[in-house]
Amino acid sequence: MIDADSTTEIVARNQKYLASTYPRGDMAFVRGLGTELWDARGRRVLDFFSSILCTNLGHCHPAVTEAIREQAGKLVHLSNLHHSDPQSQLAERLVGTSFGERVFLCNSGAEANEAAIKVARRYGHARGGRFEIVTALGSFHGRTMATIAATGQEKVRRGFEPGLPGFRYVEFGDAAAAQAIIGPNTVAILVEPVQGEGGVVPPPPGYLEELRDLCDQRDLLLMFDEIQTGCGRTGTLYAYEQSGCAPDVMTLAKSLGNGMPVGAMVAGPRAADALDLGSHGSTFGGNCVTNAAAVATLDVLNDGETLPRARRAAERLWSGLRDIAAPHADLGEVRGQGLLIGVPTDSPERASTIATRALELGLLINVTGMGVLRIAPPLVVTDGEIDEGLDLLRGALSS
Ligand SMILES: Cc1ncc(COP(=O)(O)O)c(C=O)c1O
């Protein structure tokens, strides 16, 4: 049992012992339920960030918690040299709800993208050794060496050179630029259907379909990083469903286990057999408990009520945010998709002042991109919580 320490003790211990890779602020949270979080001082905060988009069903969703409890009492882990039921159930659901044919299970977003990158390399090896992957400027695909190479932001690679070769970056939303950069070595295009970390940037109409056509014409794999956009975040189970086309490969993580560390690389017909026996692995990939959580999460997302309710919540929140933003000259147009919402401000400093003030008032939001407020409550957020969150944000903007 972990003792219930005070905020001061928790913060001091973290500052002393953890690698200092994150700016963590000075609050320590100890409990969550639905949209609500409580800190070690007993203060309640509305979580409109869903713990960095990992708790789409809200904190401690009863069905997920029950699945974790039940599986933890049965079998926590089994090696991938044997069959276990939770991963078979999860893979079946992922295939059954998507374009996919085969699934590689892992533990994080970066690991899911690593698998996708390896699929692309294998696909290229079978076609004369093509290896280059085109990704978008402003994208974010993870923090491992391959995924920082895939990420179209120089700052994540700085100081870690030499990087993994084989990535080329083009403007997000510009299919003509993607076409122009494709060369004899190109094997795949990897994009987020809505850029998340890059500032909640939705694609221009037709962009993803144009990439699909391009990939079909040039025998390239189209790979969607749905780590942030997946699991109902944009209003459909997967964001690609709203694009008019399906990718060949999709990666998921973040909310797949509603807070449990689980990732997946889903491969469609053209890519399904790229990873063959012995070509890839992950000791904890397909872990019984995390996969049981993911099965429960997908079952709630597919219950026929959660996604329509999330779409209604998104309408209410968008409308409220537009009303709030309109009179503020320093706020730009509300953008995003579903409950993945960005409100641009005129500077990173202004955005972080607003987020800090909001947290003081009891609303947790985040800043991403170049000064964009990222607002992403759980899909189960109630109308009352939306209105409360909007009031708190109004307060943060005017103080
Ligand atoms: C689109 C996208 N891809 C990949 C990742 C990396 O995921 P993880 O931190 O689980 O490795 C993230 C994380 O923010 C993400 O937003």
Side-chain angles (χ1 to χ4, degrees), residues 163-348:
L164 184 74
F167 293 91
R168 307 191 71 183
Y169 317 103
V170 286
E171 209 63 51
F172 181 71
D174 187 345
Q179 179 163 16
I181 209 167
I182 290 169
N185 285 325
T186 311
V187 69
I189 299 179
L190 168 65
V191 287
E192 297 157 83
V194 177
Q195 285 196 337
E197 302 302 310
V200 191
V201 187
Y207 170 62
L208 298 173
E209 279 174 297
E210 285 177 73
L211 293 185
R212 176 71 274 174
D213 290 343
L214 204 51
C215 287
D216 289 342
Q217 286 154 20
R218 309 291 285 265
D219 188 20
L220 312 178
L221 293 179
L222 181 62
M223 311 203 293
F224 285 170
D225 177 339
E226 291 238 24
I227 286 157
Q228 192 153 149
T229 56
C231 304
R233 178 50 59 192
T234 65
T236 44
L237 187 58
Y238 310 116
Y240 81 79
E241 294 170 53
Q242 296 170 62
S243 74
C245 67
D248 300 300
V249 171
M250 164 175 77
T251 50
L252 298 167
K254 285 206 184 279
S255 232
L256 182 55
N258 204 47
M260 290 295 268
V262 47
M265 186 281 297
V266 180
R270 293 173 68 204
D273 297 323
L275 293 181
D276 54 4
L277 197 61
S279 62
H280 196 42
S282 166
T283 293
F284 282 121
N287 170 269
C288 299
V289 178
T290 62
N291 283 213
V295 168
T297 303
L298 285 175
D299 286 350
V300 175
L301 288 169
N302 287 318
D303 65 6
E305 287 173 17
T306 303
L307 293 178
R309 163 70 209 142
R311 291 193 281 271
R312 287 197 298 279
E315 266 174 42
R316 189 180 188 94
L317 186 52
W318 275 72
S319 146
L321 287 170
R322 283 184 170 132
D323 288 348
I324 287 179
H328 286 273
D330 57 348
L331 298 184
E333 209 177 309
V334 179
R335 66 192 192 202
Q337 211 167 298
L339 285 170
L340 175 54
I341 309 174
V343 183
T345 71
D346 59 3
S347 71

Side-chain angles (χ1 to χ4, degrees), residues 14-141:
N14 280 347
Q15 283 175 345
K16 184 163 179 199
Y17 296 114
L18 288 179
S20 46
T21 52
Y22 290 100
R24 290 175 201 272
D26 56 8
M27 284 179 90
F29 292 100
V30 292
R31 195 160 64 83
L33 191 64
T35 311
E36 298 171 303
L37 273 175
W38 286 269
D39 81 354
R41 298 183 175 100
R43 236 191 107 218
R44 170 184 170 272
V45 160
L46 271 187
D47 183 1
F48 273 32
F49 185 36
S50 302
S51 291
I52 198 151
L53 298 100
C54 290
T55 52
N56 283 2
L57 298 180
H59 294 285
C60 298
H61 188 283
V64 182
T65 299
E66 186 45 39
I68 294 168
R69 273 194 224 286
E70 198 190 320
Q71 188 59 47
K74 254 200 272 185
L75 184 63
V76 170
H77 183 66
L78 187 76
S79 100
N80 279 308
L81 301 177
H82 305 283
H83 295 279
S84 63
D85 191 33
Q87 60 174 249
S88 74
Q89 302 270 357
L90 176 55
E92 184 180 58
R93 277 167 181 72
L94 289 170
V95 167
T97 56
S98 75
F99 62 90
E101 272 189 3
R102 285 195 184 270
V103 174
F104 180 82
L105 295 169
C106 53
N107 310 287
S108 69
E111 223 190 312
N113 282 337
E114 290 272 349
I117 292 164
K118 285 181 82 170
V119 163
R121 287 279 176 107
R122 274 290 165 111
Y123 191 82
H125 269 250
R127 286 163 180 75
R130 290 190 272 144
F131 63 95
E132 262 171 18
I133 300 175
V134 175
T135 72
L137 288 164
S139 60
F140 184 79
H141 298 295

